[in-house]
Amino acid sequence: MSVFRLSKGIRSNVCRKTASDYFPSLRFSRLVHSLGFATVKAEEISGSQPAEVHNLVQGKWIKSANWNTIVDPLNGESFIKVSEVDEIGIKPFVESLSKCPKHGMHNPFKSPERYLLYGDISAKAGHMLSVPEVSDFFAKLIQRVAPKSYQQALGEVYVTGKFLENFSGDQVRFLARSFGVPGNHLGQQSHGFRWPYGAVAVITPFNFPLEIPLLQLMGALYMGNKPVLKVDSKVCIVMEQMLRLLHDCGMPMDDVDFINSDGKTMNKLLLEAKPRMTLFTGSSRVADKLAYDLNGRIKLEDAGFDWKILGPDVHEVDYVSWVCDQDAYACSGQKCSAQSMLFIHENWSKTSLLSQLIDLAARRKLEDLTIGPVLTCTTEAMLDHMKKLLQIPGSKLLFGGVELENHSIPSVYGAIKPTAVFVPIEEILKGENYELVTKEIFGPFQIITEYKDNQLQLVLDALEKMHAHLTAAVVTNDPFFIQEVVGKTVNGTTYAGLRARTTGAPQNHWFGPAGDPRGAGIGTPEAIKLVWSCHREVIYDVGPVPQNWKIPPST
């Protein structure tokens, strides 16, 4: 929500123009606004007026004979029809990727004007997302398919727009900055260049339908690659509309292919098209399968069982309680950075922290989507996991643990109140309990435990055994405590200090896991260069050959 509050302050000063001021193709009326790029109106999508999502390949929007019907996660009504490509229909996509050479669509020696083109596209698209009518359109569209509060959805749009602004002008060109090193003799210099892979694939999940696919897609394009984009079908309508906006901002139609399919079909496409690099954001199970199938030509931003430690120094209990609630339950806990385990120093147990967590969780309502449908885990599965945890000696339910009341969420999705289960730190470390306790539940569910001064090593032992190292928070202003914990952990995005959190990554810092050579980052120049380019060294050696040089003896 802090991002949203910031954006309100900025927009009130600089965003008084309408979209039609920036782009004449957009027209608005007092009664019904019409966005020139859009083919849907978020508020009107329903069972009686279902939206359609198409595929994009070789510069053309196409339909297939197969339609996958998406149900409204709030009421079960069939409200979106997705044209899905089957295994027989992947040939045009394979052909499209095969047309891209290994040296890419552009590189420092080829078509450098495309760096400038994407700087211009980013500038225009960033402006577009700052226009109130456009940002509202995408925020409401996100809400329809991945229900979250309007503030959370608008925050996603805001971060995406700021990312695009960051890479406007010359900033795309600067991503390909090279360096030179003097050689051994006159006329010799070695130069390091960032080089594209060529044909690549981007596969992204449901929980951030705009931010994750757009940031990774643009990174691929900036560096000179030709991507095929696959977004979870439940939310693919958001990126379909964003691609249409990018086309309106000058992106060539055939620069990106967009496919809707099931996982089996996408796997077949990857095996046949053989992209030089694939970015996958999603579950660890699928990530490991893809890494095997693609012979390691992959970057991963996979699951995160993310932890937060409250250090021994107690400050600002109200603020820390609020951040803990946001980290665990915003977006119904469906963030790869959501707080999955909270380690509370015994000093915090003497404060109002736990009672405040109960009160803050109770404020969340389905009516404003501060709690809502869980799209990858059923109510039954989450409650069954809770029951297994409660069989551990000393464990107890702190709050939640029941289904939402008075809802019409379909049974294929989950609907529970924000839930926290306490498990003693000694029990967590036992071999028979550890896998169960650290199982990621992608919903409003967290484990809370307590440790004493002499038990910090137990906490560090628990963290060392974890296999996913995405985000973490060390809530303390004690520099020695920070040194101890950060020095003995590995999470790729770690916040340290009194205001530390696990979620809410803005566009200005790296977001991604560590401890895995396959790990992918997102958002920053370093992330883009790591994921979407490789190093190429060109050694210039033009001479002159020394005077009176003679052929030496063989060596």
Side-chain angles (χ1 to χ4, degrees), residues 366-399:
L366 183 60
E367 290 76 16
D368 59 8
L369 294 178
T370 50
I371 193 69
V374 177
L375 302 191
T376 58
C377 195
T378 64
T379 301
E380 182 182 10
M382 288 186 285
L383 296 182
D384 181 61
H385 179 67
M386 178 193 72
K387 291 174 184 176
K388 291 177 181 177
L389 289 169
L390 292 177
Q391 293 174 8
I392 297 174
S395 65
K396 58 185 176 181
L397 179 66
L398 295 177
F399 53 86

Side-chain angles (χ1 to χ4, degrees), residues 159-171:
V159 168
T160 304
K162 283 298 172 186
F163 168 86
L164 290 166
E165 291 177 12
N166 284 348
F167 292 98
S168 60
D170 285 323
Q171 297 308 309

Side-chain angles (χ1 to χ4, degrees), residues 234-395:
K234 293 189 290 290
V235 300
C236 60
I237 191 171
V238 178
M239 270 309 292
E240 190 223 37
Q241 297 299 300
M242 186 66 205
L243 285 172
R244 295 179 187 275
L245 182 149
L246 290 172
H247 293 150
D248 206 50
C249 293
M251 185 177 79
M253 288 284 292
D254 54 1
D255 272 13
V256 176
D257 293 333
F258 178 65
I259 187 170
N260 301 299
S261 71
D262 60 19
K264 183 179 178 183
T265 299
M266 188 62 193
N267 198 78
K268 183 177 176 63
L269 171 61
L270 295 174
L271 293 177
E272 290 196 13
K274 295 182 173 62
R276 305 289 296 172
M277 214 292 291
T278 294
L279 178 282
F280 176 78
T281 304
S283 76
S284 295
R285 178 184 59 82
V286 177
D288 288 339
K289 180 187 185 309
L290 285 175
Y292 179 84
D293 289 347
L294 302 176
N295 296 316
R297 294 191 302 271
I298 194 167
K299 286 289 186 181
L300 304 175
E301 197 266 271
D302 57 352
F305 189 85
D306 306 297
W307 49 265
K308 177 184 290 180
I309 299 174
L310 304 189
D313 49 325
V314 175
H315 310 278
E316 304 290 350
V317 176
D318 290 356
Y319 180 83
V320 171
S321 302
W322 173 76
V323 174
C324 286
D325 174 77
Q326 284 291 103
D327 282 347
Y329 304 123
C331 300
S332 301
Q334 295 174 103
K335 296 183 179 183
C336 51
S337 57
Q339 175 182 297
S340 300
M341 182 173 286
L342 178 62
F343 296 88
I344 300 175
H345 187 275
E346 60 180 335
N347 292 346
W348 286 89
S349 300
K350 301 170 186 176
T351 71
S352 61
L353 176 80
L354 285 176
S355 63
Q356 290 201 51
L357 290 180
I358 295 172
D359 293 341
L360 290 165
R363 296 193 310 172
R364 297 186 172 274
K365 305 294 181 185
L366 183 60
E367 290 76 16
D368 59 8
L369 294 178
T370 50
I371 193 69
V374 177
L375 302 191
T376 58
C377 195
T378 64
T379 301
E380 182 182 10
M382 288 186 285
L383 296 182
D384 181 61
H385 179 67
M386 178 193 72
K387 291 174 184 176
K388 291 177 181 177
L389 289 169
L390 292 177
Q391 293 174 8
I392 297 174
S395 65

Side-chain angles (χ1 to χ4, degrees), residues 51-53 66-70 80-84 233 236 260:
E52 289 188 0
V53 181
N66 306 305
W67 293 90
N68 178 18
T69 301
I70 307 299
I80 298 175
K81 294 166 59 182
V82 178
S83 176
E84 289 205 343
S233 291
C236 60
N260 301 299

